[in-house]
Amino acid sequence: MNTKSVIMALFGPLFIYGCCIELGPKHDPIPPFMSYQELKPKYAYIQAVTVGTLFNDGLDSIACITGYARSAGNHDYKLIIYKQSQNSEIQFYQEIQTKGTYVNDPSSIAIADIDNDNNQEIIVAHSNACVEIFHINDSSLFESSYTISTKDSYALATGDFNSDGQTDLASIGFGTDTLSVWFQNSEHRIDAKPLMIDVTHGGFDALAKGDINDDGMDDIIVMSGQEILPNIGVLLQTKAGYGEPIYCSVGDRILTHGLAVGDITNSGKDSIVVSYGGNSPFSRIAVFTSGSDGTVSTEPSVIYNSIDIPCALSIADINHDGRLDIVVNHAGWNNYGVYTQTSTGVLDEEINTQIPYYGSPINQETGFQCIAPGDFSKSGIKSDIIVVSDVGLAIMRKN
């Protein structure tokens, strides 16, 4: 069995195109490994996608945002929600107009309970303009409830950023060199004024949270995707707040493309993973770890070869072995790859496969949210992968 057949044996894909309601015909398997089902599209360019339990039903749903489609149909700057049924079918649920515009288009999306009401909110960043919050109403529909005006609104992350047991919101703007953190206060409202932190990033940036030094607190990781700057700024949370950023780089004058955080060394500690490089043999995945004393490595702890143009990254247990693996999208090639983690914490060689969909992700070179893991098979493990294309979403289900 060749490398493609190995990874394709893991997944049975279902394809979702645009914001749609009508199911298309089922297709014969694509030789030799894949079959898929189309949904007839309306015209929409999906900018970013995320997954979460939106309806308190224990099932993952999908939320995505659209940009300017350059085609017929009024589906620009929308929030689109797909709901999973009890028999694991993915169904169009709702389309909502956002505050996005051609200049300040939706660029990032998150799902979290940021007001402690036991419901998940959807948070959308409109590039360098505002952050928009959507709540679920009594009719189980999402609606825009308020916005936060800020230039730090290109990339979002949520987590407990002051260790008070409540979910907070962090965001960066496009090359703003600042990070804004909005804490959830004792009244379960987002503070009007954010904590502003200086951290270098030059544009096409990414943001993530994780416990990098294994102290039980959520740290914030900023990736810079443009200009000759340090690739990563790590902000470690302490009982006194956040100190100066710890800057890390993959090398001299090299730009990074994608960012993900998780335990991919089988150590029980989160690592930082970035993608960089163009065509092979100059394409790489770099892993940054911390030492036993919590000191963050400023240079890659290990570097893995990749195929051409590795971009968006995600971390999930793809093969259900209890260890987290890395999924990477390859810009312009309709490909994605998987690095499975071994019991020793070393990653196996990348297994790559082609995605049989039309076009390439519009945001794949610059969009850190072009891949998201979810559970759409009732396995209890987020091992199914959503990939953004220029015409919609491809959901790769694990068999």
Side-chain angles (χ1 to χ4, degrees), residues 1-13 28-36 336 351-354 356 396-397 399:
M1 183 179 286
N2 61 30
T3 54
K4 278 193 177 183
S5 63
V6 173
I7 187 61
M8 295 311 303
L10 294 176
F11 293 100
D28 292 333
I30 299 173
F33 314 115
M34 301 184 84
S35 64
Y36 70 97
Y336 77 96
I351 303 170
N352 184 262
T353 190
Q354 187 169 20
M396 315 297 290
R397 293 181 188 265
N399 288 331

Side-chain angles (χ1 to χ4, degrees), residues 48-52 54 61-65 79-82 109 111 122:
V49 63
T50 192
V51 171
L54 291 175
S61 295
I62 302 166
C64 57
I65 45 178
L79 166 62
I80 303 170
I81 300 168
Y82 293 96
I109 186 169
I111 294 174
I122 301 175

Side-chain angles (χ1 to χ4, degrees), residues 142-177:
F142 282 86
E143 58 187 9
S144 178
S145 51
Y146 65 95
T147 60
I148 303 170
S149 295
T150 175
K151 293 293 184 183
D152 277 339
S153 54
Y154 177 75
L156 298 170
T158 60
D160 186 358
F161 298 131
N162 57 359
S163 295
D164 65 352
Q166 301 187 116
T167 302
D168 310 306
L169 176 65
S171 62
I172 53 175
F174 187 98
T176 54
D177 284 336

